[in-house]
Amino acid sequence: MSYGKLYIVATPIGNLGDITIRALETLKSVDIIAAEDTRHSLKLLNHFDIKKPLTSYFEHNKQYKGNVVISKLKEGKDVALISDAGTPVISDPGAELVKDCIENNIEVLTVPGACAAISAVTLCGFLNKRFSFIGFLPVKKNEKIKELEKFKNYETTLVFYEAPHKLLKTLEAICEVFGVRNISVARELTKKYEQVIRTTTEEAVKYFEENEPVGEFVICVEGCEEKEAENELNALSLEEHIKYYIKSGLSKKDAVKKCAEDRGVPKREIYNASIELEL
Ligand code: SAM
């Protein structure tokens, strides 16, 4: 008997209209659907009138459940893997199952569709054609900072996932490590309250201090090279840099702001230096 196939099926990240025709056909044709949260996925499957045996496959049962799924595949059953939203494996369970299938000569096929990271990158407005997907950062501040340090000199756009109650702390850490850079914070993509805030790291912190984060978020941060390419003025001394803007007609406050943006450091730092320089 030949082995069954594992299908990695993407589901919508909000708007149910984003399910693909092939996803529906696949979910209707397989023998078993392995879902991250069966109760959550049942709502999606009921909406599309799909009735199939469901089994759970999530972070804390993946070792045991992976073996069960592999044995079903070896019996010739086709299995679809879905997650709560978007593309399985991308910050969702599934990587071990794919690896185990490959090692067992079981065919793995993709049924692509929605992915929050890709959607956010298409909306961020940065010109850099390359991006690095980082996903979730550690929760503890020192670990978060340590992790961010690794990406500080990346020239690509950096893409992070974050939960609403952790968003502000993550934005603060991004601002602390990367300084002032352009950032895009995409919220509730494809849903009723979809919103993209395009601003600087510093302003994003202020915005979410004043507006409680609600919903699901993807953060895109401009890569370091893009920023530096714009900043030929950074070759000047700090004093010359601030004076350049003052001479070109800006107030001291605006000169400090521009200088901080150019150098990718917090405004406060430039302001304090300007006091010391008696500007
Ligand atoms: N595998 C999914 C994908 O392909 O997008 C991601 C799963 S991960 C567990 C969930 C995270 O994705 C959320 O915390 C949020 O950062 C992001 N996300 C999912 N849906 C979103 C949406 N509609 N708008 C913004 N971000 C979303």
Side-chain angles (χ1 to χ4, degrees):
M1 186 200 289
S2 58
Y3 289 170
K5 295 183 175 85
L6 175 71
Y7 294 87
I8 305 299
V9 180
T11 55
I13 55 169
N15 189 324
L16 292 185
D18 293 334
I19 191 107
T20 68
I21 294 170
R22 199 164 151 246
L24 291 176
E25 285 170 358
T26 305
L27 294 171
K28 281 177 185 162
S29 73
V30 293
D31 301 292
I32 302 162
I33 298 174
E36 192 184 359
D37 178 340
T38 49
R39 272 196 307 181
H40 177 96
S41 293
L42 205 52
K43 288 185 202 147
L44 176 88
L45 298 172
N46 284 340
H47 179 85
F48 291 107
D49 202 22
I50 296 168
K51 298 196 183 350
K52 285 285 162 178
L54 263 180
T55 188
S56 64
Y57 180 85
F58 53 86
E59 196 53 34
H60 300 292
N61 76 356
K62 67 185 180 192
Q63 212 162 353
Y64 154 72
K65 261 308 163 66
N67 292 335
V68 175
V69 172
I70 293 285
S71 66
K72 293 289 175 197
L73 286 157
K74 284 188 168 174
E75 284 169 21
K77 307 270 190 237
D78 285 334
V79 179
L81 176 70
I82 59 176
S83 61
D84 287 353
T87 304
V89 182
I90 307 300
S91 290
D92 266 337
E96 288 84 355
L97 187 57
V98 171
K99 185 169 180 281
D100 288 348
C101 283
I102 294 165
E103 282 171 3
N104 283 279
N105 293 317
I106 295 165
E107 199 174 350
V108 187
L109 297 161
T110 181
V111 182
C115 175
I118 300 292
S119 303
V121 169
T122 64
L123 299 178
C124 71
F126 304 153
L127 294 180
N128 198 330
K129 293 183 179 67
R130 294 176 295 165
F131 68 89
S132 301
F133 175 67
I134 315 298
F136 291 103
L137 287 165
V139 180
K140 285 190 184 150
K141 183 171 179 190
N142 57 342
E143 288 171 24
K144 203 189 291 260
I145 297 279
K146 207 168 145 197
E147 188 74 357
L148 282 168
E149 293 283 358
K150 290 186 200 163
F151 311 118
K152 191 175 175 179
N153 296 321
Y154 273 38
E155 294 171 1
T156 59
T157 295
L158 300 165
V159 186
F160 303 93
Y161 281 162
E162 196 47 285
H165 58 291
K166 296 178 194 150
L167 185 83
L168 185 55
K169 289 221 164 358
T170 292
L171 290 174
E172 284 170 353
I174 285 173
C175 193
E176 185 177 326
V177 177
F178 297 163
V180 181
R181 286 195 198 179
N182 290 323
I183 190 170
S184 148
V185 184
R187 164 178 177 251
E188 293 288 87
L189 294 169
T190 78
K191 301 185 196 176
K192 188 173 174 187
Y193 296 107
E194 174 167 335
Q195 182 187 20
V196 183
I197 297 153
R198 300 178 185 90
T199 181
T200 63
T201 44
E202 213 178 28
E203 294 298 322
V205 169
K206 273 194 217 147
Y207 179 88
F208 285 105
E209 276 169 353
E210 287 159 18
N211 300 276
E212 190 194 345
V214 180
E216 300 197 88
F217 291 89
V218 183
I219 304 165
C220 295
V221 184
E222 192 180 46
C224 82
E225 198 194 37
E226 264 181 286
K227 190 79 217 149
E228 277 160 11
E230 293 163 15
N231 297 333
E232 285 162 12
L233 293 171
N234 289 353
L236 299 174
S237 71
L238 187 58
E239 184 173 0
E240 287 166 340
H241 199 160
I242 299 172
K243 280 185 175 166
Y244 167 86
Y245 280 124
I246 291 174
K247 272 190 197 144
S248 65
L250 294 188
S251 65
K252 185 182 157 191
K253 188 176 165 218
D254 287 340
V256 164
K257 187 173 173 218
K258 286 286 290 170
C259 195
E261 279 172 15
D262 289 350
R263 291 178 178 245
V265 296
K267 255 189 321 204
R268 211 177 325 108
E269 205 174 292
I270 303 292
Y271 178 75
N272 291 342
S274 77
I275 302 280
E276 274 177 34
L277 290 165
E278 297 177 357
L279 291 173

